[in-house]
């Protein structure tokens, strides 16, 4: 009974190119290249998991992830489910659409770190890890024994290292997760069992034929 969780970071996005905070209002979706990458992801994933049978597709609620999930869902004949637990930072409304550099400097919280937010009104890293990890575990439990595609953000992919690999909330290493990359974890144990299932990292930040920007 193998459970496969396939994490996808959204394709190239407008917020990324413009360097703005891409919350529900500030996110203007994918660039033309991002749309092309989303279609390519759909092709790659369907050939990868063709034998797995029905596949569920989830995304965060942010436009860049929703737009990336659309062709993937269409390729599998399923409607992607938007889950806010898979979002990147839940930034405060005042920050949405601001230049990221300005948000980070003008609204920096002195002493911000793991449990205290880096910016005024933002989530702390620990809060993000718990939120994303909880969403991942709920999805894994719901779809145990099958294959799920989770379209999100750098932080969604990072969250899996905490949820599935019991990494401490303050990790001793960083992760570089390019747009339109695939990261895959599997387990043959019950994802809802106790003690927690052991997961295997099958691939990390796989960008297929694309070159890193
Ligand atoms: O929200 C963002 O700008 C970043 C934060 O790292 O995430 P992503 O580009 O993956 O959406």
């Amino acid at each position: 009974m193998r459970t496969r969780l396939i994490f996808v970071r959204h394709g190239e996005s407008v917020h990324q190119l413009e360097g703005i905070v891409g919350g529900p209002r500030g996110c203007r979706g994918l660039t033309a290249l991002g749309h092309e990458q989303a279609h390519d992801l759909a092709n790659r994933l369907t050939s990868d998991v063709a034998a797995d049978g029905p596949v569920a597709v989830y995304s965060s609620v942010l436009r860049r992830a929703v737009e990336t999930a659309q062709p993937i869902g269409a390729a599998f004949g399923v409607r992607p489910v938007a889950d806010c637990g898979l979002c990147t930072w839940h930034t405060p409304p005042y920050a949405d659409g601001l230049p990221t550099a300005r948000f980070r400097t003008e609204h920096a919280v002195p002493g911000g770190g793991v449990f205290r937010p880096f910016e005024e009104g933002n989530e702390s890293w620990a809060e993000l890890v718990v939120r994303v990890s909880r969403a991942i575990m709920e999805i894994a439990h719901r779809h145990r024994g099958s294959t799920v595609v989770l379209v999100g953000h750098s932080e969604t992919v990072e969250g899996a290292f905490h949820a599935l690999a019991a990494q401490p909330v303050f990790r001793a290493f960083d992760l570089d997760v390019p747009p339109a990359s695939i990261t895959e974890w599997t387990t043959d144990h019950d994802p809802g069992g106790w003690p927690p299932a052991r997961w295997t990292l099958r691939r990390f930040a796989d960008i297929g034929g694309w070159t890193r920007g």
Side-chain angles (χ1 to χ4, degrees), residues 42-213:
N43 291 335
R44 287 171 64 199
L45 288 170
T46 40
S47 56
D48 278 6
V49 301
D52 284 7
V55 171
V57 178
Y58 285 81
S59 76
S60 86
V61 302
L62 296 172
R63 186 170 151 189
R64 54 191 179 279
V66 170
E67 287 180 356
T68 304
Q70 270 160 0
I72 297 172
F76 287 111
V78 297
R79 184 192 289 266
V81 175
D83 183 337
C84 194
L86 300 175
C87 283
T88 181
W89 300 94
H90 278 167
T91 45
Y94 80 83
D96 200 359
L98 278 188
T100 307
R102 218 176 112 198
F103 178 49
R104 290 195 179 144
T105 52
E106 292 179 16
H107 299 277
V109 170
V114 177
F115 296 104
R116 190 169 149 77
F118 289 108
E119 297 90 12
E120 293 156 10
N122 204 357
E123 275 185 313
S124 68
W125 174 249
E127 287 165 333
L128 181 150
V129 166
V130 169
R131 169 176 58 78
V132 172
S133 296
R134 180 173 178 167
I136 292 171
M137 296 318 292
E138 292 289 344
I139 291 168
H141 185 68
R142 197 175 304 144
H143 297 282
R144 52 192 180 279
S146 47
T147 297
V148 186
V149 178
L150 302 91
V151 182
H153 309 264
S154 314
E155 288 73 17
T156 322
V157 176
E158 293 191 67
F161 281 76
H162 302 279
L164 308 179
Q167 287 299 299
V169 74
F170 181 65
R171 258 184 286 115
F173 58 93
D174 291 320
L175 293 167
D176 179 15
V177 185
S181 63
I182 296 174
T183 297
E184 176 174 350
W185 295 83
T186 66
T187 187
D188 293 328
H189 301 154
D190 178 359
W194 188 264
R198 283 191 77 80
W199 290 81
T200 301
L201 179 59
R202 298 272 166 200
R203 49 182 162 162
F204 171 70
D206 174 4
I207 52 172
W210 298 93
T211 46
R212 275 170 177 267

Side-chain angles (χ1 to χ4, degrees), residues 26-44:
C27 179
R28 301 220 309 283
L30 299 176
T31 62
L33 173 63
H35 282 289
E36 200 187 325
Q37 290 171 326
H39 281 94
D40 182 65
L41 280 163
N43 291 335
R44 287 171 64 199

